[in-house]
Amino acid sequence: MLYARGGWRALRRCASLPRAVRLRVREALGAREPAEAVRVQGWVRSVRSQKEVLFLHINDGSSLESLQVVADPSLEKRDLTFGSAVEVQGKLVKSPHKMQNMELQAETINVVGPCDIWSFPLKMRERHPLEYVRQFPHLRCRNNTLGALLRIRSEATASIHSFFQDNGYVHIHTPIITSNDCEGAGELFQIEDSVEKSHFFNVPAFLTVSGQLHLEVMAGAFTHVFTFGPTFRAENSQSRRHLAEFYMVEAELSFTESLQDIMQVMEDLFKTVTSTVLSKCPRDVELFHKYIAPAQKGRLEQMLKHKFMIISYSEAVEILKQAPQTFTFKPEWGCDLQTEHEKYLVKHCGDVPVFVVNYPYDLKPFYMRDNEDGPQHTVAAVDLLVPGVGELCGGSLREERLPFLESRLQRLGLTDAYQWYLDLRKFGSVPHGGFGMGFERYLQYILGVDNIKDVIPFPRFSHSCLL
Ligand SMILES: NC(=O)C[C@H](N)C(=O)O
């Protein structure tokens, strides 16, 4: 028997076979010319057996489209089913079908790993709802929608890194384990070690809520820095916008005196990454805009052409007060904007991204720069609100003036904990600022995905840590 047990490794070692060129599905589909002796590996997305011909579609994650394989029915075998892993060798030829360029005429089909279709939770040619596949975090990546999402996520990640590197930023690996609560909101996961059964070997340590303070350290040497990694918030929320572990893109810029500069970087980052995703993953994005969020179709392209709007927090409160609808939380100057408020503001502004600037001093964390205005005392903070999601980015100018920072920390009883942070203001302090963008919320917005749990490979949220 030509294809012995042992799968494709054994197959490779078999000297009697002609050397076939291994192609990814994406390469095979995009090939310009027919080719003899081609080898493609992947998972079967569909099998259809006719009297004269056997049709397979195989997918290896390299593209949304699967490669059509045509074979003689004699090549059919019992374990060649939907979901099985296969290696097909044969000729790559022009396809007679309009829908695809190339197809593979199989000479041999080897089932590398069979799949028990009766217990396999995914079914052939079914468009499973996102809520259904969420139950199977170990298998849902084999589903078209999650496959498309994860390719988009990968492109967006690469594009974020390129954006910053191309603009002269230094990438910093900020720590996951930290002793600070940057946001001061107390939403921390405390670390315990299993050796001393104490906190982190008897010192307080937490999972990071933000890399900002570490980036500020680095901005004091490298001028422009960024980080992009996991952050953690112990929010006991099951909402469609919150995760206990999420990825955040953060940047910090030294020698920056205006919030406008920070907003410009946020907007440039957003637009650059979005146009890259649209041009590099058109079919994957189309899937979302066709089946998941039809209203989103064409909207992103429109949004990319226009400058984001800017309103102040005080204007926002006035808009809310004059709204014809009633809110569960009555809008008042000095109160945080609630999700319902953010939604209304975005709608009011024409369903486009909106920057809200200059928030009340008492609402915001210690590090934000005092605007020294009055009587409504504000800080130089900005949030970017987007349709369907609400707050996507948050940023601010940081308080670089030692006396201001000292008195604020003192009032909050944080002087001892932040001696090192005060040092940064003593040794070559410069005006600076930065921002953070929630990566999952970004994906939710551009793809129109309702639930944040469907835009991350392995969601962690309150009372759930599958796998
Ligand atoms: N780097 C940032 O400005 C993000 C901010 N610290 C936040 O967590 O929202």
Side-chain angles (χ1 to χ4, degrees):
M1 197 175 73
L2 196 55
Y3 292 107
R5 263 178 284 141
W8 61 273
R9 281 179 207 285
L11 184 80
R12 269 224 206 114
R13 276 184 249 116
C14 181
S16 62
L17 278 176
R19 273 170 63 89
V21 180
R22 194 186 134 187
L23 290 184
R24 298 295 305 266
V25 165
R26 185 189 174 94
E27 295 169 316
L29 287 170
R32 297 250 167 98
E33 297 299 328
E36 301 281 326
V38 162
R39 196 153 52 94
V40 177
Q41 298 151 337
W43 291 266
V44 175
R45 283 294 173 87
S46 72
V47 199
R48 187 157 50 94
S49 183
Q50 292 182 350
K51 215 154 92 243
E52 306 279 294
V53 58
L54 169 70
F55 289 106
L56 293 184
H57 280 97
I58 57 177
N59 190 289
D60 65 354
S62 61
S63 78
L64 183 68
E65 287 80 23
S66 299
L67 177 67
Q68 174 157 286
V69 175
V70 285
D72 189 275
S74 64
L75 291 181
E76 189 168 14
K77 36 197 103 178
R78 201 164 37 87
D79 52 5
L80 180 61
T81 64
F82 170 68
S84 59
V86 293
E87 174 169 277
V88 182
Q89 190 161 317
K91 283 185 193 146
L92 194 63
V93 298
K94 290 253 185 243
S95 171
H97 298 283
K98 269 196 236 120
M99 296 297 282
Q100 64 175 35
N101 180 31
M102 290 292 186
E103 63 185 26
L104 189 60
Q105 278 179 357
E107 283 154 10
T108 60
I109 299 174
N110 178 36
V111 176
V112 179
C115 171
D116 173 17
I117 48 167
W118 305 113
S119 56
F120 190 44
L122 306 180
K123 301 293 167 220
M124 192 160 83
R125 293 198 199 92
E126 242 177 69
R127 189 163 294 285
H128 298 290
L130 288 167
E131 301 77 37
Y132 172 75
V133 293
R134 211 183 289 149
Q135 302 169 78
F136 313 104
H138 57 309
L139 295 170
R140 68 173 182 165
C141 51
R142 308 237 196 126
N143 165 270
N144 257 349
T145 316
L146 258 289
L149 177 269
L150 294 171
R151 274 186 301 275
I152 292 168
R153 205 179 147 107
S154 168
E155 275 305 341
T157 300
S159 174
I160 286 166
H161 278 273
S162 306
F163 172 85
F164 284 117
Q165 305 271 8
D166 293 349
N167 286 293
Y169 288 67
V170 173
H171 176 253
I172 303 292
H173 289 113
T174 49
I176 303 287
I177 299 176
T178 176
S179 55
N180 76 61
D181 175 9
C182 170
E183 296 306 299
E187 293 166 340
L188 296 164
F189 285 109
Q190 185 143 12
I191 297 199
E192 261 187 33
D193 68 81
S194 60
V195 180
E196 301 208 1
K197 302 259 179 292
S198 66
H199 303 323
F200 188 71
F201 307 105
N202 280 328
V203 295
F206 313 96
L207 295 179
T208 184
V209 295
S210 163
Q212 176 196 323
L213 303 187
H214 296 99
L215 278 189
E216 282 191 65
V217 169
M218 296 300 174
F222 297 101
T223 312
H224 289 173
V225 288
F226 79 104
T227 191
F228 182 10
T231 42
F232 307 84
R233 305 257 165 122
E235 263 177 309
N236 194 357
S237 164
Q238 292 277 354
S239 96
R240 56 172 203 89
R241 304 187 321 142
H242 292 93
L243 288 168
E245 177 182 277
F246 62 97
Y247 278 72
M248 184 148 64
V249 185
E250 297 183 272
E252 203 63 34
L253 294 80
S254 284
F255 302 103
T256 298
E257 286 177 38
S258 100
L259 208 47
Q260 203 75 36
D261 294 347
I262 306 293
M263 290 190 274
Q264 192 61 53
V265 181
M266 286 159 129
E267 186 166 342
D268 289 348
L269 169 72
F270 183 94
K271 290 184 171 172
T272 307
V273 176
T274 306
S275 8
T276 308
V277 166
L278 287 174
S279 71
K280 289 209 165 174
C281 315
R283 300 277 292 119
D284 289 322
V285 174
E286 192 186 311
L287 179 144
F288 282 92
H289 294 174
K290 194 165 169 189
Y291 298 108
I292 310 283
Q296 194 71 335
K297 198 170 161 49
R299 275 220 178 149
L300 289 179
E301 288 82 352
Q302 275 306 315
M303 180 271 297
L304 291 176
K305 289 188 202 146
H306 297 104
K307 193 114 189 73
F308 292 175
M309 282 184 72
I310 305 174
I311 57 173
S312 70
Y313 167 87
S314 302
E315 284 166 336
V317 173
E318 280 316 304
I319 294 169
L320 293 168
K321 280 185 170 168
Q322 282 161 28
Q325 72 183 73
T326 47
F327 297 104
T328 315
F329 292 92
K330 197 165 167 251
E332 254 343 308
W333 202 98
C335 295
D336 228 342
L337 297 180
Q338 305 295 321
T339 309
E340 55 178 345
H341 302 147
E342 294 174 349
K343 266 195 190 155
Y344 182 84
L345 288 170
V346 167
K347 274 244 164 334
H348 177 88
C349 295
D351 253 339
V352 289
V354 187
F355 286 117
V356 180
V357 298
N358 298 334
Y359 281 79
Y361 179 93
D362 289 328
L363 271 188
K364 292 293 185 183
F366 69 90
Y367 54 73
M368 293 194 176
R369 194 175 199 277
D370 190 342
N371 277 332
E372 294 178 87
D373 49 359
Q376 294 184 324
H377 191 181
T378 64
V379 283
V382 53
D383 278 354
L384 176 61
L385 311 182
V386 296
V389 171
E391 185 193 337
L392 174 67
C393 305
S396 68
L397 291 181
R398 318 306 190 191
E399 186 55 81
E400 87 284 7
R401 299 162 295 182
L402 184 62
F404 281 78
L405 192 58
E406 268 176 338
S407 66
R408 192 144 194 209
L409 285 173
Q410 200 163 8
R411 256 179 287 129
L412 295 167
L414 292 171
T415 310
D416 288 346
Y418 285 102
Q419 276 304 323
W420 65 270
Y421 192 69
L422 289 166
D423 273 359
L424 300 179
R425 275 67 184 168
K426 291 179 195 156
F427 310 132
S429 184
V430 293
H432 66 286
F435 70 92
M437 177 176 87
F439 187 46
E440 283 72 25
R441 288 193 180 179
Y442 166 76
L443 293 169
Q444 254 191 298
Y445 170 50
I446 65 161
L447 302 175
V449 174
D450 187 55
N451 197 315
I452 199 163
K453 300 174 187 76
D454 299 325
V455 292
I456 187 163
F458 301 101
R460 273 83 179 88
F461 48 97
S462 112
H463 304 293
S464 175
C465 186
L466 297 178
L467 249 71

